[in-house]
Amino acid sequence: MTTGLWNSQHQSHAGQTINMVQMLCKVWGVGMFSIVALTTSNILLTLRLMQGRDDGSGGGGCGGIPPIPDSVPHSWTAALSSTNHSEYLAFLKAAVINTAPAMPTTRGGPSGEAARAGAERNGPPLVVVGSGFKVDEARGRWDARRRYKTHDHVFTGPYYGRLTRSSPVCLATQTSVDRLFWLTQVARYWSAPMSVAVFTPDVEYAIARAYLSYLVTCFPFLGEKVSFHFTYPRDHLPKDVPLVINHLEDRCDQPLGVLKELLKHRDSRMLSWRERMPYPQNVLRNVARKTCGTEWVFLVDVDIVPIPGLSYTLSSFLTSTPAMKCKKCAFVVPTYEVDERSPLPYNRSSLLRLASKGRARPFHQKVFVHNQHATNFSRWEAREQLNPREGGVTISHQVTNFEFFYEPFYVARDDTPPHDERFLGYGFTRNTQVYEMFVSGYTFHVLSPIFTLHWGMQVKRSRPAWREKQNNANRRLFEGFKREVFARYGKDPLNMMATKKTKKS
């Protein structure tokens, strides 16, 4: 009996021990799984931060904008391939960029007979790119602080001069190489001249040469009307390496894929300093602006897409009496974010339908509302709902609630204050220029029914430490900037001079 009872109790304790061990193993397994999952998540997050992709203002690749997407919706890109006519494909097969012009100077390209003869002479359709867009380091011009050298007009399309003489407005933008693919979207529906400043340090110079040669060849609606300018830092001069794109004639519908391949030439050593280098947004903005030859300049970021017909209707407005009479007017073009699953809205009606379904909203509304809030999108939308008739461009309303962090995309004459180039990287770049315009007496007027688009709904993301460092450095520089603006104009409409300098923690 006693022995049986002991065995029974022993078995019971043993069973409990086994159950406890099993439970502990399960807990340990769950714990280890959680640790592995958390570690993997942290690694992925670290890699994301190292890539410097963060929503915010700017057009460069050192943070401030969403990562390069895996693809762009067909509804946004379908129109691109329709311009790649057979004549241009024949031209590609016939041309080796080292010995032929980057693109034909006429829309039709070479004749079929010339193309066939060229193809037989040049052999397989292997196109070597990079011979165009070349700069001479002994030339160019330095910025005021001798930190960046710029080469103006390294490429000018065959219609750029003619369009500059006939159009009242030029679109100006700036970008790093990893955002260049957006130019096909920007140029697709913009028919006036374009001025594009590209940041090209180190091997990104070679990448820019190769990719831009590809773009102007495959997308003539871009190459015919654009002028490109290269800017690079004194400490990282251009590095020219031969880059090859195989079977280019078969890849004219793959601007995103071609760029991703070229970006692989940036090794880890280069990226280690490149991702943390302050992106000279304002230097590049001034380059793009001042190389426009028109009276009016439409200054945008590279991923802001015009709607069809925008350049025509805007040009008509800028030559009208209301625009011509106003000497210190900036005309704001409202910008909306559009869900990446949605089709490209071509007019106001289609945009408002998307907005009513929550698939379009004012730019930066969720990321940083003060960025565009003064535009008063509610008033713009209400006005259009009350007056749905399509017509020419008119002024919807004047901006009356100006804020210091206001950063609209606007059209103005090219005598506005320049972007202050002391501000590098992120923070206090665009808004300081708009602030100086406001202090100097400019008024801002919202146009209707035109608008521009940003692909994708932006969300807040954590910022890497280096970006906060840049923002804090620019905040300190602003203390001197605001005193200079006050001394220059003798006005302080936002009472900025009363703001005390933040104490160091």
Side-chain angles (χ1 to χ4, degrees):
M1 266 307 273
T2 304
T3 304
L5 179 61
W6 184 88
N7 288 335
S8 176
Q9 292 175 343
H10 177 71
Q11 290 174 354
S12 176
H13 287 304
Q16 291 176 357
T17 302
I18 292 173
N19 290 336
M20 184 176 295
V21 171
Q22 290 176 340
M23 184 177 67
L24 289 172
C25 287
K26 290 180 179 179
V27 172
W28 182 86
V30 172
M32 285 301 297
F33 175 79
S34 299
I35 292 172
V36 171
L38 182 59
T39 302
T40 303
S41 176
N42 286 337
I43 291 173
L44 292 174
L45 178 59
T46 301
L47 291 173
R48 271 298 274 272
L49 294 179
M50 288 179 65
Q51 290 176 346
R53 309 285 179 239
D54 185 19
D55 292 303
S57 64
C62 304
I65 42 185
I68 299 176
D70 293 328
S71 62
V72 179
H74 180 71
S75 61
W76 287 57
T77 58
L80 298 180
S81 59
S82 66
T83 62
N84 299 324
H85 306 299
S86 58
E87 302 98 302
Y88 280 94
L89 298 184
F91 173 78
L92 289 174
K93 291 181 180 180
V96 173
I97 302 300
N98 284 329
T99 58
M103 62 171 288
T105 56
T106 61
R107 292 181 181 270
S111 66
E113 182 178 353
R116 285 191 295 272
E120 293 174 359
R121 180 176 66 255
N122 294 323
L126 174 68
V127 179
V128 180
V129 299
S131 61
F133 300 87
K134 193 172 181 62
V135 302
D136 181 355
E137 289 181 28
R139 300 184 180 183
R141 55 184 175 88
W142 291 102
D143 68 312
R145 295 171 175 83
R146 291 188 66 84
R147 293 181 296 189
Y148 302 95
K149 177 172 277 192
T150 293
H151 297 264
D152 298 325
H153 303 290
V154 295
F155 172 89
T156 300
Y159 299 149
Y160 178 81
R162 183 190 311 171
L163 290 171
T164 297
R165 290 187 291 271
S166 61
S167 175
V169 64
C170 165
L171 184 148
T173 190
Q174 45 76 34
T175 181
S176 54
V177 294
D178 55 353
R179 312 306 296 172
L180 283 170
F181 71 94
W182 281 113
L183 289 174
T184 57
Q185 298 285 349
V186 175
R188 181 65 184 91
Y189 297 115
W190 180 264
S191 58
M194 294 173 56
S195 175
V196 182
V198 186
F199 192 48
T200 58
D202 201 84
V203 74
E204 290 187 358
Y205 165 72
I207 294 173
R209 291 185 63 202
Y211 191 64
L212 292 176
S213 294
Y214 159 81
L215 285 185
V216 300
T217 305
C218 283
F219 302 98
F221 58 81
L222 168 65
E224 67 190 10
K225 61 187 173 232
V226 70
S227 185
F228 286 106
H229 328 284
F230 285 177
T231 297
Y232 50 83
R234 179 183 58 196
D235 298 333
H236 296 282
L237 300 178
K239 184 179 293 184
D240 197 9
V241 296
L243 298 180
V244 174
I245 299 177
N246 291 311
H247 302 289
L248 177 58
E249 77 287 351
D250 297 324
R251 306 194 63 186
C252 278
D253 59 347
Q254 304 172 29
L256 193 56
V258 170
L259 177 59
K260 286 184 175 182
E261 286 186 13
L262 290 172
L263 290 175
K264 293 177 182 178
H265 291 276
R266 303 186 300 180
D267 58 29
S268 58
R269 182 179 179 183
M270 186 262 188
L271 288 175
S272 66
W273 57 261
R274 174 64 178 88
E275 295 293 349
R276 288 164 178 78
M277 172 188 291
Y279 179 69
Q281 298 187 42
N282 283 357
V283 174
L284 294 165
R285 287 188 176 108
N286 286 335
V287 170
R289 280 180 52 187
K290 290 303 178 182
T291 44
C292 276
T294 56
E295 179 181 4
W296 299 83
V297 175
F298 183 26
L299 185 66
V300 296
D301 287 343
V302 73
D303 53 355
I304 301 301
V305 179
I307 60 171
L310 177 61
S311 53
Y312 289 113
T313 54
L314 188 57
S315 295
S316 296
F317 170 78
L318 294 175
T319 54
S320 67
T321 302
M324 297 298 291
K325 277 188 174 182
C326 190
K327 299 304 181 184
K328 277 201 167 186
C329 283
F331 299 106
V332 177
V333 180
T335 301
Y336 279 76
E337 303 171 357
V338 178
D339 191 298
E340 56 267 22
R341 298 164 297 179
S342 301
L344 174 73
Y346 292 99
N347 54 37
R348 178 203 64 241
S349 300
S350 58
L351 173 68
L352 293 181
R353 280 196 298 270
L354 289 176
S356 67
K357 299 175 183 177
R359 301 176 71 178
R361 67 187 179 209
F363 186 55
H364 273 6
Q365 187 179 64
K366 298 296 183 181
V367 175
F368 186 57
V369 66
H370 301 288
N371 181 274
Q372 304 284 321
H373 182 67
T375 296
N376 197 342
F377 290 89
S378 298
R379 184 173 178 180
W380 186 85
E381 292 177 8
R383 173 188 171 92
E384 299 312 325
Q385 290 167 354
L386 292 173
N387 181 22
R389 182 179 60 85
E390 298 290 346
V393 174
T394 59
I395 295 175
S396 170
H397 58 275
Q398 182 175 338
V399 172
T400 57
N401 56 335
F402 187 92
E403 297 179 295
F404 173 67
F405 288 106
Y406 189 38
E407 295 183 348
F409 296 114
Y410 64 83
V411 184
R413 288 186 175 88
D414 191 32
D415 56 3
T416 59
H419 290 72
D420 197 291
E421 297 179 2
R422 81 186 79 184
F423 299 109
L424 299 175
Y426 290 90
F428 299 86
T429 52
R430 273 202 297 142
N431 70 298
T432 48
Q433 190 269 345
V434 176
Y435 167 70
E436 184 173 356
M437 288 177 64
F438 179 68
V439 174
S440 68
Y442 275 83
T443 54
F444 294 83
H445 306 265
V446 182
L447 296 183
S448 173
I450 58 175
F451 56 92
T452 55
L453 299 165
H454 178 276
W455 178 71
M457 309 283 266
Q458 295 189 320
V459 295
K460 286 187 176 180
R461 293 179 180 144
S462 59
R463 292 182 175 183
W466 57 260
R467 174 159 174 170
E468 283 302 315
K469 184 178 180 180
Q470 293 176 5
N471 191 66
N472 290 334
N474 285 338
R475 184 180 292 110
R476 290 190 293 270
L477 290 172
F478 176 72
E479 294 299 319
F481 173 81
K482 71 180 183 181
R483 287 192 292 269
E484 293 173 17
V485 170
F486 178 71
R488 188 175 299 127
Y489 303 105
K491 294 187 291 184
D492 186 19
L494 298 184
N495 203 27
M496 300 299 293
M497 295 302 295
T499 305
K500 293 183 179 180
K501 192 173 183 180
T502 304
K503 294 182 180 180
K504 294 182 179 179
S505 56

